[in-house]
């Protein structure tokens, strides 16, 4: 018997973005003959980070970028190395493979990366714009310099657009109106900004972490410009089940092999998206979900390279004006 739903791979979703990026890279050849330059800093011995770095290199170079991995043997020299790259005109984008120190110092280092070269979109200004629903870096009148979005939350949004969860008949900023989403992850890097993005577009978002459950909305009757957060209570299976009851989308991002989302909580026909590097859904998800996206990494890297091009364009615009 045919399964009701479809499994959609990230490679399929990223394809049109990759084609656009490749075309834009060619257009930039007049100012960057070797391609825009992305520098990655690796200052840990984490094999996962090493793998991710190799993968970034392979993908970006196949699309016409120049990628340079800078290994830093002594973590204490990382900050200086970042500053040097910030000041180097030949470097267009910078990324750091975290964790480095594995504590709050990592957040500090993240902010050392120049805002103008931050391809991952982790700079405080970008997060603040996201949380305040501000889409441009120049004032809203000029609208020449688009703000950068953190690439993993942005990738999940692009996956949702592909699956037509965003209703393009509605005006921009309202296209998720009435949709219910559950996100299992509230990290500062992915889950919380993603919840805010979706709420800013009109969705009701249940944001789940190991401790508690929160509800993100844009407030009643579309009157608010940015999202509101309400505490629903401590994490419990009962409360999770309740949140999933009529959820249109379930998004998971739990690190580690042992976690599996309870399939029985998924509404028939819901969309299930996993951005964790571990498989958070068991195979039975395919018998419930209308669409199942098992990973999003390929879309994330497309967004990272798209951010890099946007930074180059923003910088060229500023130079010319
Ligand atoms: P993190 O450890 O900072 O956050 C994990 C979140 O999951 C926390 O909010 C935690 O409370 C929650 N959580 C953990 N166990 C839970 C449980 N049993 N029930 C409910 N909530 C639970 O991790 P992170 O940086 O957000 O990364 C998460 C995963 O996403 C990792 O596997 C990482 O590799 C992956 N990731 C993927 C991409 C991508 O592009 N696909 C990008 C970044 C991170």
């Amino acid at each position: 018997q045919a399964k009701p739903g479809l499994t959609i791979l990230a490679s399929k979703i990223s394809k049109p973005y990759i084609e656009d990026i490749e075309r834009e890279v060619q257009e930039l050849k007049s100012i960057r003959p070797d391609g825009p330059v992305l520098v990655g800093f690796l200052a840990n011995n984490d094999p996962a980070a090493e793998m991710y770095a190799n993968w970034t290199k392979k993908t970006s170079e196949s699309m016409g970028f120049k990628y340079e991995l800078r290994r830093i043997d002594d973590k204490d020299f990382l900050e200086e190395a970042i500053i040097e790259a910030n000041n180097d005109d030949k470097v267009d984008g910078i990324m750091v493979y975290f964790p480095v120190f594995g504590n709050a110092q990592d957040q500090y280092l993240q902010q050392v990366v120049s805002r103008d070269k931050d391809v991952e979109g982790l700079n405080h200004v970008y997060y603040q714009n996201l949380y305040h629903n501000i889409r441009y870096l120049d004032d809203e009148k000029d609208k020449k310099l688009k703000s950068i979005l953190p690439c993993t939350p942005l990738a999940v949004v692009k996956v949702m657009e592909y699956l037509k969860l965003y209703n393009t008949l509605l005006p921009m900023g309202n296209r998720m109106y009435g949709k219910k989403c559950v996100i299992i992850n509230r990290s500062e890097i992915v889950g919380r900004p993603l919840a805010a993005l979706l709420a800013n577009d009109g969705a009701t978002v249940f944001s789940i972490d190991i401790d508690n459950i929160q509800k993100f909305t844009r407030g009643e009757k579309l009157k608010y410009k940015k999202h509101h957060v309400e505490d629903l209570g401590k994490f419990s299976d009962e409360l999770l089940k309740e949140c999933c009851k009529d959820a249109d989308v379930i998004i998971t991002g739990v690190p580690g092999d042992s976690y599996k989302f309870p399939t029985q909580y998924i509404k028939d026909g819901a969309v299930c998206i996993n951005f964790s590097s571990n498989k958070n859904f068991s195979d039975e998800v395919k018998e419930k979900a209308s669409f199942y996206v098992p990973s999003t990494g390929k879309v994330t890297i497309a967004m990272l390279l798209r951010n890099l091009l946007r930074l180059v364009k923003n910088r060229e615009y500023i130079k010319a004006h």
Side-chain angles (χ1 to χ4, degrees):
Q1 195 193 336
K3 292 191 175 113
L6 291 176
T7 299
I8 310 276
L9 299 181
S11 50
K12 184 165 181 174
I13 304 171
S14 62
K15 198 162 173 259
Y17 293 104
I18 288 174
E19 286 164 3
D20 280 353
I21 294 166
E22 285 174 340
R23 193 174 29 75
E24 283 192 38
V25 169
Q26 289 312 313
E27 284 166 17
L28 282 173
K29 289 275 155 144
S30 57
I31 54 164
R32 281 285 185 260
D34 297 330
V37 178
L38 174 60
V39 170
F41 284 103
L42 189 60
N44 62 25
N45 298 317
D46 181 356
E50 175 97 36
M51 250 173 66
Y52 184 38
N54 290 333
W55 186 51
T56 334
K57 182 177 170 68
K58 207 174 127 208
T59 314
S60 57
E61 288 186 342
S62 76
M63 289 162 72
F65 293 85
K66 187 164 184 259
Y67 179 87
E68 202 188 307
L69 183 64
R70 296 190 183 168
R71 285 173 202 277
I72 309 294
D73 293 333
D74 182 345
K75 293 175 179 22
D76 289 325
F77 289 113
L78 177 59
E79 181 175 8
E80 276 171 48
I82 296 173
I83 293 172
E84 199 183 303
N86 282 344
N87 294 331
D88 181 351
D89 274 345
K90 291 190 287 297
V91 175
D92 294 302
I94 298 172
M95 64 186 297
V96 180
Y97 296 95
F98 290 108
V100 176
F101 289 92
N103 58 28
Q105 197 170 345
D106 285 359
Q107 276 104 65
Y108 168 74
L109 285 169
Q110 212 167 68
Q111 302 306 316
V112 172
V113 174
S114 159
R115 189 183 96 178
D116 304 332
K117 298 191 177 181
D118 175 15
V119 287
E120 292 185 283
L122 303 175
N123 187 275
H124 181 70
V125 172
Y126 299 141
Y127 274 113
Q128 196 169 26
N129 282 349
L130 182 160
Y131 286 124
H132 290 255
N133 207 8
I134 294 171
R135 310 212 168 190
Y136 292 87
L137 289 168
D138 46 354
D139 74 46
E140 291 277 320
K141 272 200 291 345
D142 289 344
K143 296 189 174 173
K144 292 285 188 257
L145 305 175
K146 258 194 150 181
S147 193
I148 300 291
L149 287 167
C151 53
T152 309
L154 178 61
V156 176
V157 166
K158 294 298 176 191
V159 168
M160 293 171 72
E161 282 181 0
Y162 180 91
L163 299 174
K164 305 251 188 288
L165 285 156
Y166 276 72
N167 187 335
T168 51
L169 298 177
L170 289 168
M172 284 280 256
N174 257 339
R175 292 183 165 168
M176 284 293 284
Y177 186 53
K179 290 277 193 312
K180 291 203 171 121
C181 312
V182 170
I183 306 174
I184 322 286
N185 175 304
R186 202 186 307 122
S187 67
E188 285 300 313
I189 304 291
V190 197
R192 194 165 82 91
L194 177 61
L197 271 177
L198 300 178
N200 282 339
D201 282 330
T204 298
V205 182
F206 297 101
S207 168
I208 321 281
D209 84 354
I210 203 149
D211 299 315
N212 72 351
I213 299 189
Q214 296 182 331
K215 183 163 114 175
F216 286 55
T217 57
R218 209 182 29 202
E220 277 182 17
K221 299 195 180 102
L222 304 175
K223 71 181 169 196
Y224 295 113
K225 209 169 170 266
K226 73 175 202 56
H227 71 281
H228 283 223
V229 182
E230 192 188 321
D231 271 320
L232 299 186
K234 273 202 179 137
F235 176 91
S236 73
D237 282 326
E238 274 313 297
L239 192 52
L240 173 64
K241 188 176 172 188
E242 184 63 29
C243 295
C244 295
K245 212 171 72 190
D246 28 55
D248 303 291
V249 193
I250 294 175
I251 301 163
T252 54
V254 177
D257 267 332
S258 58
Y259 181 84
K260 291 286 178 234
F261 184 85
T263 312
Q264 68 275 20
Y265 293 176
I266 304 169
K267 177 181 87 166
D268 284 345
V271 169
C272 295
I273 302 167
N274 172 54
F275 68 77
S276 168
S277 26
N278 304 95
K279 271 176 80 180
N280 285 174
F281 290 104
S282 47
D283 274 348
E284 293 84 71
V285 66
K286 295 178 190 169
E287 278 145 44
K288 285 273 201 155
S290 54
F291 296 107
Y292 166 50
V293 182
S295 72
T296 58
K298 288 199 168 138
V299 188
T300 303
I301 194 153
M303 292 305 119
L304 182 133
L305 296 171
R306 195 166 169 264
N307 279 349
L308 174 52
L309 293 178
R310 178 153 295 156
L311 291 170
V312 173
K313 279 189 275 185
N314 282 358
R315 222 172 23 244
E316 289 303 308
Y317 180 84
I318 292 168
K319 254 198 246 159
H321 288 80

